[in-house]
Amino acid sequence: MVHLWRSRTKEEAETTKAPGVGATGDIAVIVEGKKLDTELVRLACLMAKRAKRKVHLVHIIEVPRTLPLKAVLTEKSNAANKLLSEAIAIAEEAGCDAVAEIVQARDAGPAIVDEARDHGCALIMLGLVRSHRSQNNLGKTIPYVLLNAPCRVWVIQDPNGTAAASTPATAATSNSDVSVSKA
């Protein structure tokens, strides 16, 4: 492809960027404990590695309003540590530079947006498993992130909740998957 009003070096530089990632910024992957998380981490690692960026693996623990925000939630913290350890192992296997973080917050949406802003992320990746009972229910987190994110947002949907951990391309190539981008 040739663009008449661009220099060749600029065109070549643009082709080396990962899809969906701007010229600067890392990728934030929200790890929630779904089967789809494995595919999200692998996809993010492929893109980050190509763009020479870092992947931020984030798990949000929503603290009930009846407890102090800094309350020690041992069970949830242990589960989050396990999830993030598995995600880090996937990133290391892919040869990707990744950082894991557990965030305690009242609501996940504002915490995700703040993390993306704090780390200068160019992309936030969220997984959505469609429930058979609620076809159009995105919850409150995804709409909040889509409206307030300082960067692009990809919502990748697993239509039937049975994403196999061994097929990383499913999230990116299935016809029924949803990618929502906010530029």
Side-chain angles (χ1 to χ4, degrees), residues 85-117:
S85 294
E86 291 170 1
I88 286 284
I90 293 167
E92 286 175 354
E93 182 181 303
C96 179
D97 189 16
V99 177
E101 187 172 0
I102 299 172
V103 177
Q104 286 192 185
R106 297 289 181 204
D107 295 307
I112 293 168
V113 170
D114 288 345
E115 285 299 306
R117 189 173 289 122

Side-chain angles (χ1 to χ4, degrees), residues 25-41:
D26 296 333
I27 300 173
V29 179
I30 309 308
V31 179
E32 300 178 76
K34 300 174 183 171
K35 288 183 181 181
L36 186 58
D37 288 349
T38 301
E39 295 177 28
L40 288 175
V41 172

